[in-house]
Amino acid sequence: MSKSLLRKLRNALIVLFGVSLIVFMLMYLSGDPIALLLPMDTAPEVAEAMRESLGFNDPLYIQYFRFLSGAVRGDFGNSLHHNQPAMGLIIERMPATIELTLASVLIALAIAVPLGLVTAVFSNTIIDYIGSILALIGQSMPVFWLGLMLLYVAGVKYRLLPITGRGTWQHLLLPAFTVGAYTAATIARMLRSRMIEIMQQDYIKTARAKGVRHKWIVLKHALRNAVLPVITILALQLGTLLGGAVITETIFAWPGVGRFMLQAIQNRDIAIVQAGVFILAVSIVFINIFTDVIYTVLDPRIRYE
Amino acid sequence: MKNKTLKMLIKRKTALAGAIIILIVVVSAILAPVFSPYDPNESDLNKRLLPPSWDDEGSSEHLLGTDHLGRDILSRIIYGTRISLLVGIITVLLSGIFGTVLGLLGGYYRGFLDSFLMRLTEVQLAFPFILLALAIMSVLGPGLRNVILVLSITGWVMYSRLVRGEVLLLRELEYVKAAKALGQKNGKIIFGHILPNVFPTIVVVGTLRVANMIIAEASLTFLGLGVESRIPTWGSMLADGRGYITSAWWVTAFPGIAIMLTVLGINLVGDWLRDVLDPRLKTS
């Protein structure tokens, strides 16, 4: 366990260093960071005084280390718009985004596993064709369009579910389905091809020859092995899910980090953008390490030694 | 060979359907002025939010209805194909070339360069793609050129990692070792011997990535940080329609269907290409 995990942790540290560098550089992409902090019509002498007071005249590496030491303590400065610490504002909204992401993972799995299973078991039949086309359509729909259409059909036309806000499970259903649809389609397609591959393996043939019931072979022998890569796909899809959450939160007025960050981007509130991007990237790095560990626990063939 | 490939395409109906969709989209983009019934920016406030022609309140003059400024939706969708294809193809070319070259170099030379590139890709993969693109766009400002730039910068990682993986296998093969033993220069080995063998993988991934880039451009534009609003694009049409979703569904529905069909077409052809050119990618 130790060596490989330590190597992964070392790599994660390097990645986190890179993440901090990119987040820091965001401010300098426009050329002059002061331009992002002050209104366009600010007098040059006021801008210069602010540049000096905020340390923007210091060498870049000093500015970076100042930024890094703040980032490590969760200090990204104050939001221009809210005049409060940016990190605190992001943390306040994290539970809503975590709730939405987890719900979308559950919905994605609830759709993908049966769909992948059925299309594999009935491969090359009409059931497979319909299921596969559904999965392909799911992969081809832009998240925000699906969100808008669900909002119109389920929220406005038939008034089945609430269309904005957060509170009950009903509020969660439309946005979570919107975020999870693409991942559901991706997992269903992957699961189908894995299941078809596994069903041709020798140990499945042996089980059949021994007279094990077909249902048992599919659920116990094949699915168990096919489901493992789902975890990897889910981890890889996390960025997509969080990206989807940014747009979906905006459509359904979901009070999470995504919607808040988009407002910050539109207001050019750089401290919020930096804090949000940083915390989401760090979360992804740690979830990836966690996934690696879970994977080794679940799959006896992979062991850290 | 070409005839054989064509026959295979025709045989696989889903791929053929995809190819037909792509053909329609490409022809629409090239011949947009011929096919569109109206100027995409021509507004007629007397004909605001007209439903599609088959609706009781619709008009036969506007097949898919009109938007909030009375602009013809069909014409705007036809012109919108131009931006979608342009962004999709250029970003895939730019990020594909950049990522491939880095992947080739990292995989072939290994060592520090490889480790550095791999960490770089991991850094980039730690950011949700659309979020990073949005953050950069917010600083650079909206515009077609910036969209292409940002999507190219954020899109190279996929190619780099895939190509590097392939090169690690290829560099150990006999023919590469033989070329080295014969004293061929590294550049000749990388671009003359290894690249042609990696090319099918790049074509498959590149094709599928065009679809992703089309959606990414539409997403950025939808959020107000993409292509300028004066240019008709599918993303801006969806953004316009959002405010009228409760009263005029068609303004949002049709551009979305256009995106979905185009992406579906590309995915169908991409899947087929993958099976033909690089079956090993099938499970990934």
Side-chain angles (χ1 to χ4, degrees), chain A residues 11-269:
Chain A
N11 285 350
L13 272 179
I14 300 172
V15 170
L16 287 177
F17 170 73
V19 164
S20 70
L21 210 58
I22 290 183
V23 173
F24 169 72
M25 290 309 290
L26 271 179
M27 219 170 179
Y28 292 86
L29 278 178
S30 65
D32 183 8
I34 281 294
L36 290 172
L37 302 175
L38 293 174
M40 300 266 265
D41 53 356
T42 307
E45 52 274 23
V46 175
E48 186 49 42
M50 187 147 176
R51 189 173 288 120
E52 185 61 38
S53 72
L54 290 176
F56 287 126
N57 286 333
D58 293 338
L60 212 55
Y61 69 91
I62 291 181
Q63 290 185 50
Y64 169 69
F65 282 112
R66 200 161 43 222
F67 168 82
L68 190 63
S69 88
V72 170
R73 288 178 281 120
D75 179 10
F76 287 86
N78 273 10
S79 151
L80 278 180
H81 204 67
H82 301 266
N83 206 19
Q84 284 179 50
M87 192 50 125
L89 291 165
I90 293 286
I91 297 285
E92 259 174 41
R93 286 154 180 86
M94 273 306 271
T97 298
I98 292 171
E99 184 184 311
L100 177 59
T101 310
L102 286 179
S104 67
V105 168
L106 286 179
I107 286 184
L109 287 175
I111 298 169
V113 174
L115 188 62
L117 204 69
V118 167
T119 47
V121 171
F122 296 99
S123 66
N124 293 322
T125 64
I126 185 81
I127 297 172
D128 178 25
Y129 297 142
I130 294 171
S132 297
I133 287 172
L134 276 178
L136 252 175
I137 289 175
Q139 274 191 316
S140 307
M141 271 188 294
V143 170
F144 55 95
W145 181 71
L146 175 64
L148 287 171
M149 288 293 102
L150 284 174
L151 190 142
Y152 171 69
V153 176
V156 178
K157 196 167 164 78
Y158 296 107
R159 295 179 186 280
L160 300 171
L161 291 162
I163 52 174
T164 55
R166 180 185 174 219
T168 62
W169 64 269
Q170 287 99 327
H171 285 94
L172 190 57
L173 221 51
L174 287 182
F177 183 82
T178 305
V179 180
Y182 179 87
T183 304
T186 308
I187 293 175
R189 293 190 71 199
M190 191 272 305
L191 200 61
R192 176 187 175 273
S193 65
R194 280 283 295 168
M195 282 289 288
I196 290 174
E197 211 178 291
I198 287 171
M199 291 297 279
Q200 277 149 25
Q201 301 274 319
D202 284 344
Y203 71 91
I204 298 287
K205 286 178 190 159
T206 311
R208 267 206 197 112
K210 281 163 69 184
V212 179
R213 283 172 64 191
H214 183 65
K215 197 170 101 182
W216 196 247
I217 291 175
V218 171
L219 294 176
K220 173 108 173 125
H221 296 251
L223 183 64
R224 204 171 153 187
N225 284 299
V227 134
L228 275 170
V230 168
I231 298 166
T232 315
I233 296 278
L234 266 179
L236 286 171
Q237 286 284 314
L238 203 77
T240 313
L241 284 171
L242 284 171
V246 173
I247 304 174
T248 309
E249 284 180 5
T250 312
I251 293 171
F252 291 99
W254 186 262
V257 179
R259 178 165 165 253
F260 187 57
M261 279 184 65
L262 197 72
Q263 287 164 349
I265 284 171
Q266 280 153 357
N267 295 331
R268 288 165 78 93
D269 196 342

Side-chain angles (χ1 to χ4, degrees), chain B residues 63-81:
Chain B
L63 185 65
L64 301 181
T66 59
D67 68 6
H68 63 297
L69 294 176
R71 295 174 297 193
D72 183 56
I73 289 177
L74 178 62
S75 305
R76 290 180 70 75
I77 288 178
I78 292 174
Y79 270 89
T81 54

